[in-house]
Amino acid sequence: MKKILLWLMVILMIASFSLAGCKAAPAEEAEAAEEAAEEVEEAAEEVAEEVEEEAVAEEDYTIGIVLKSFQNPFWLMAKTAAEDKAEELGVNVIVLGTTEEGNYDEQVAHIEDLTTRGVDLIVVVPAEASALVPAVEEAVEAGIPVINLDSPIETDKVISFIGSDNVVGGNMAAEYIAEQLSGEGKVAVLRGRLGNPVELQRYTGFTEKLAEYPGLELVAEGVANWEADEGYTVMEDFLTAHPEIQAVFAESDRMILGAAGAAEAAGRDDIIMVGLDGIVEALRAVQDGDIAADVAQRPDLMGAYAVEYGLKYLETGEIDEVITTPMTLALPDNVDPLIDAWEALGF
């Protein structure tokens, strides 16, 4: 604003000096007046550009973010990172979660509330791919752009998808198990909530890669709905029905932590345990040797990117259709920096 006021003063000075200098012969007067008018017009255009730029910079944007349950450290970290990035960029952010991981009714209510409140942009991690579609499309119809985070929503109305490639994550887990078993052995998988697109992607990635090794046999599957307690129970069943199991992949960290607890209780420290998410508890379990490996996503980057690229879209109208967040196979020799990233945000 100070720059704009300074420019206005310059315009007035140019005008006054130019007019004062016009007291000459009539022809000279006309020429000087024309030159003065041109100078004033050019200065005015520059001021208009300054005003427009400052208006954009000072726009008070609000971004609404709908995540899943904050009982899951993954989403709590995404929330913390989003709020930190919003403070850094000077953006208002409203981050909402659910009481249960799969409670899409609460998510629908959150989206409808944010639409009513007239936020500038909404970011959504769907608990269910289709249930949120009407609320998302109503937001879009109301003029609010929507970014899809982490797992896909079954609509083409979103402006971008930000998240990991979950098929690749499943591939990474299977490849690691194949290497550890030298291509031969008995394997089990703990599945998340059936019908969830992320579950299907992780399962597909894991089983397709596993099929590349004829000596690896998938002998048991069980649904544990992303939860640690269910992971514990299903793992107990695995150990009873298939004591020959040599490796277990869980499609989420909470499930692998539960399964690891069951294996420890049964005295089975010989089983290769692999998770996927990258929450700090699982990374510490890798560090401590309680599980063998974890395919680590970056929930901090998901939260930060939601705000950063959301703001960029609001300011420029531009955003990539897909923005991929990285994954790392966390092992005892490389896990420390990943834990540091969590601890830097207070976890």
Side-chain angles (χ1 to χ4, degrees):
M1 187 58 71
K2 289 180 180 177
K3 291 174 69 178
I4 294 173
L5 292 174
L6 181 61
W7 271 111
L8 290 172
M9 290 174 64
V10 170
I11 291 172
L12 292 173
M13 290 173 66
I14 291 171
S16 61
F17 286 141
S18 300
L19 290 172
C22 287
K23 295 178 181 177
E28 293 175 351
E29 247 181 57
E31 184 178 348
E34 184 176 346
E35 289 176 358
E38 289 177 357
E39 291 174 359
V40 170
E41 183 178 353
E42 288 175 4
E45 288 176 357
E46 291 188 31
V47 170
E49 290 176 3
E50 290 275 345
V51 170
E52 186 176 350
E53 288 175 4
E54 287 215 7
V56 170
E58 294 176 1
E59 184 71 48
D60 193 18
Y61 291 118
T62 298
I63 296 174
I65 302 178
V66 180
L67 302 178
K68 297 182 187 178
S69 172
F70 297 141
Q71 294 178 27
N72 185 339
F74 190 93
W75 298 119
L76 191 57
M77 187 188 203
K79 175 181 184 291
T80 301
E83 291 170 341
D84 287 351
K85 180 60 71 172
E87 183 176 359
E88 175 190 329
L89 299 177
V91 187
N92 297 317
V93 67
I94 303 167
V95 186
L96 304 170
T98 60
T99 53
E100 299 291 339
E101 191 81 357
N103 194 331
Y104 56 80
D105 288 331
E106 282 185 79
Q107 290 191 314
V108 169
H110 288 328
I111 296 168
E112 290 174 345
D113 177 57
L114 291 170
T115 302
T116 301
R117 292 162 71 172
V119 298
D120 297 291
L121 182 139
I122 294 174
V123 181
V124 181
V125 178
E128 205 279 331
S130 60
L132 273 61
V133 170
V136 166
E137 294 187 348
E138 284 174 15
V140 173
E141 288 172 8
I144 301 173
V146 176
I147 291 175
N148 185 187
L149 191 67
D150 184 57
S151 58
I153 302 171
E154 292 178 351
T155 176
D156 60 359
K157 303 299 183 183
V158 298
I159 59 171
S160 180
F161 173 82
I162 299 175
S164 305
D165 187 328
N166 285 290
V167 173
V168 171
N171 288 167
M172 291 168 67
E175 188 72 41
Y176 174 77
I177 288 172
E179 290 174 359
Q180 297 305 301
L181 294 177
S182 300
E184 293 186 0
K186 311 291 186 180
V187 182
V189 60
L190 281 163
R191 303 185 64 173
R193 190 178 301 276
L194 300 185
N196 181 288
V198 168
E199 189 285 319
L200 182 58
Q201 290 167 355
R202 294 180 181 184
Y203 180 78
T204 299
F206 182 74
T207 54
E208 285 183 349
K209 179 59 69 173
L210 209 66
E212 295 178 13
Y213 297 88
L216 292 177
E217 184 182 356
L218 185 59
V219 297
E221 297 184 14
V223 176
N225 294 308
W226 310 119
E227 300 296 341
D229 57 346
E230 294 188 46
Y232 189 103
T233 301
V234 174
M235 186 64 186
E236 285 184 317
D237 295 340
F238 284 172
L239 293 174
T240 300
H242 300 279
E244 74 278 14
I245 286 174
Q246 296 167 273
V248 174
F249 167 58
E251 295 172 349
S252 81
D253 281 349
R254 298 175 81 186
M255 293 191 296
I256 201 63
L257 292 172
E264 181 182 11
R268 293 293 304 273
D269 60 359
D270 59 313
I271 299 174
I272 299 165
M273 311 289 286
V274 182
L276 195 164
D277 273 339
I279 66 173
V280 70
E281 290 90 345
L283 297 176
R284 288 174 180 148
V286 171
Q287 187 181 57
D288 296 338
D290 296 327
I291 65 174
D294 191 46
V295 181
Q297 296 178 288
R298 292 291 302 275
D300 56 333
L301 292 183
M302 289 187 191
Y305 284 5
V307 175
E308 179 180 346
Y309 288 100
L311 177 61
K312 179 182 177 183
Y313 178 80
L314 291 172
E315 292 179 335
T316 68
E318 297 178 357
I319 191 170
D320 291 338
E321 187 175 339
V322 177
I323 299 169
T324 303
T325 54
M327 290 184 292
T328 301
L329 182 64
L331 300 168
D333 61 358
N334 71 348
V335 73
D336 289 353
L338 298 172
I339 295 173
D340 291 344
W342 278 84
E343 292 180 346
L345 289 175
F347 289 90

